[in-house]
Amino acid sequence: AQTVTQSQPEMSVQEAETVTLSCTYDTSESDYYLFWYKQPPSRQMILVIRQEAYKQQNATENRFSVNFQKAAKSFSLKISDSQLGDAAMYFCAYRSPSGSARQLTFGSGTQLTVLP
Amino acid sequence: NAGVTQTPKFQVLKTGQSMTLQCAQDMNHNSMYWYRQDPGMGLRLIYYSASEGTTDKGEVPNGYNVSRLNKREFSLRLESAAPSQTSVYFCASSVGASSYNEQFFGPGTRLTVL
């Protein structure tokens, strides 16, 4: 079974600065998908960015980018020019391309605080 | 366009009571999911429905049943609630069950079982 580990329960960043959230995963599959979700205080889960394992190029969405290291099974999220609205719980998630459930396997989350 | 809606938002039950959590989506999605989120943990899949008329177990199905009523609605039932089922429950939907498809989440239901 796949596992996802987020080793930073809490992080903080000054407004306008850059922060990197870490995520590692364990899998024996060669093809899969990785996601970062944001959960603000409203509890609504919002997709931030996704990466396909067979693509070597790191995904980017505006101020959000990932550093995908397939051999190291690492998938970190970089937030540039941090804004107050970025404060939230961030979850890293893994999804297999096969299997009966194709379920999302989530990490335990990193609580990000943005300091004004 | 409401996306994914869930009712109720909050619920308190006594041990042994039953209840049904309702979920509806208006995006014409084929696949729907039920997750639970416990403190300090990510979401875990309870049941999912890849398409109308089908349902399958996820990672933590014990103590739950589901019904895919139609394409829009997917309900989760607790037949005899237990304190271990105290959690926040999320419903989600996606265009299809493909791993690439984005899952859209509802706002969650906070359930407490006393």
Side-chain angles (χ1 to χ4, degrees):
Chain A
Q2 294 81 18
T3 58
V4 178
T5 302
Q6 293 179 250
S7 59
Q8 306 155 313
E10 298 177 347
M11 293 278 288
S12 62
V13 62
Q14 289 290 141
E15 197 175 1
E17 297 197 342
T18 296
V19 64
T20 298
L21 309 183
S22 301
C23 172
T24 58
Y25 56 94
D26 185 26
T27 184
S28 58
E29 296 176 312
S30 59
D31 191 20
Y32 46 86
Y33 300 85
L34 297 165
F35 304 83
W36 278 99
Y37 279 88
K38 171 184 177 181
Q39 186 179 41
S42 67
R43 292 204 309 249
Q44 189 86 38
M45 295 287 285
I46 303 164
L47 179 65
V48 175
I49 199 165
R50 62 183 151 191
Q51 174 81 41
E52 299 160 66
Y54 66 87
K55 288 187 176 179
Q56 292 190 337
Q57 186 173 4
N58 289 324
T60 300
E61 289 286 343
N62 300 316
R63 298 182 295 106
F64 298 87
S65 61
V66 298
N67 183 4
F68 173 49
Q69 302 289 329
K70 191 173 184 179
K73 297 179 182 175
S74 171
F75 182 60
S76 60
L77 174 69
K78 185 171 83 170
I79 306 174
S80 303
D81 185 25
S82 297
Q83 301 175 359
L84 294 176
D86 294 334
M89 181 74 87
Y90 286 81
F91 290 97
C92 177
Y94 172 103
R95 195 172 189 193
S96 170
S98 62
S100 60
R102 297 180 192 163
Q103 65 190 54
L104 281 166
T105 300
F106 286 85
S108 55
T110 296
Q111 182 68 51
L112 179 66
T113 300
V114 181
L115 305 169
Chain B
N1 188 339
V4 180
T5 57
Q6 292 182 235
T7 55
K9 286 186 168 52
F10 301 92
Q11 184 71 49
V12 178
L13 293 177
K14 294 181 179 178
T15 297
Q17 288 185 317
S18 62
M19 80 159 295
T20 299
L21 307 184
Q22 305 286 355
C23 173
Q25 51 89 11
D26 62 1
M27 297 175 282
N28 200 34
H29 284 172
N30 292 302
S31 301
M32 297 185 75
Y33 312 82
W34 275 106
Y35 291 88
R36 61 178 287 173
Q37 184 180 27
D38 300 310
M41 299 181 67
L43 281 66
R44 292 182 293 168
L45 184 67
I46 304 171
Y47 270 93
Y48 76 106
S49 171
S51 60
E52 186 179 356
T54 68
T55 60
D56 283 286
K57 296 178 180 179
E59 182 184 355
V60 288
N62 291 344
Y64 305 95
N65 284 300
V66 291
S67 296
R68 183 74 183 267
L69 304 171
N70 48 55
K71 192 172 185 179
R72 289 188 64 249
E73 298 172 289
F74 188 39
S75 62
L76 178 73
R77 182 161 179 83
L78 287 69
E79 291 290 352
S80 179
S84 61
Q85 295 178 304
T86 293
S87 190
V88 180
Y89 291 84
F90 288 92
C91 178
S93 71
S94 62
V95 169
S98 168
S99 299
Y100 188 76
N101 290 150
E102 178 180 355
Q103 292 188 12
F104 293 83
F105 287 81
T109 294
R110 184 177 294 276
L111 175 67
T112 301
V113 183
L114 303 175

